[in-house]
Amino acid sequence: MRMAGAAVTLAAGGVLAMAPGAAAASPTPAAAYNKACGTGYKVVNQVNIGKAGTTYLTYNSATGKNCAVTVRGTPGPAVHMYVWVQRDDTREYADDDGYYRSYAGPVYLTAKGYCVSWGGVIAGESAGRSGTNCGRVTG
């Protein structure tokens, strides 16, 4: 894992859609979760990236790991995509940045009991959340 650089840059650049700890009803996803994180991971949060797709935050209570994946609404020719998740107390983060046809990630980060910030980018559109899922999820 790398120390926060890209995630902090995104946050400072106004990418995050909500204030720390803010809660909002999850709108209908622009893209369905593709189960890319694997067995044992349950969706605990999501944010739409415009109409382009959705970034999902998942959690595995057995391992204490979060996983994030950015999924396009309609797969097609490769476009720039990015997904990141950061543990807020240590600023450790995991990310995936590249050109993909359907999804970026999954990326994993141990953060049991700690707040995380996370988000994604699809073809220049971006969205994320700051200071969420602060250990309130039990499984």
Side-chain angles (χ1 to χ4, degrees), residues 44-69:
V44 294
N45 217 326
Q46 68 189 52
V47 63
N48 285 344
I49 303 174
K51 293 181 180 179
T54 305
T55 294
Y56 289 94
L57 179 68
T58 67
Y59 183 73
N60 184 320
S61 59
T63 64
K65 288 186 179 182
N66 285 101
C67 173
V69 61

Side-chain angles (χ1 to χ4, degrees), residues 16-24 116-117 128-132:
L16 299 180
M18 296 184 75
V116 293
S117 296
R129 298 281 188 256
S130 178
T132 72

Side-chain angles (χ1 to χ4, degrees), residues 54 99 103 108 134:
T54 305
Y99 286 79
Y103 67 95
Y108 300 89
C134 302

Side-chain angles (χ1 to χ4, degrees), residues 123-138:
E125 289 191 65
S126 60
R129 298 281 188 256
S130 178
T132 72
N133 302 81
C134 302
R136 293 183 299 268
V137 177
T138 60

Side-chain angles (χ1 to χ4, degrees), residues 28-133:
T28 302
Y33 175 58
N34 62 0
K35 302 189 186 303
C37 292
T39 304
Y41 284 87
K42 294 181 182 177
V43 173
V44 294
N45 217 326
Q46 68 189 52
V47 63
N48 285 344
I49 303 174
K51 293 181 180 179
T54 305
T55 294
Y56 289 94
L57 179 68
T58 67
Y59 183 73
N60 184 320
S61 59
T63 64
K65 288 186 179 182
N66 285 101
C67 173
V69 61
T70 295
V71 183
R72 285 175 72 179
T74 305
V79 296
H80 178 248
M81 295 181 69
Y82 183 61
V83 64
W84 60 276
V85 59
Q86 174 183 287
R87 187 171 143 170
D88 290 348
D89 66 321
T90 63
R91 302 280 190 213
E92 288 181 81
Y93 77 98
D95 68 343
D96 182 27
D97 187 11
Y99 286 79
Y100 301 108
R101 294 177 40 87
S102 58
Y103 67 95
V107 295
Y108 300 89
L109 184 69
T110 300
K112 184 175 185 174
Y114 296 94
C115 298
V116 293
S117 296
W118 51 279
V121 175
I122 300 173
E125 289 191 65
S126 60
R129 298 281 188 256
S130 178
T132 72
N133 302 81

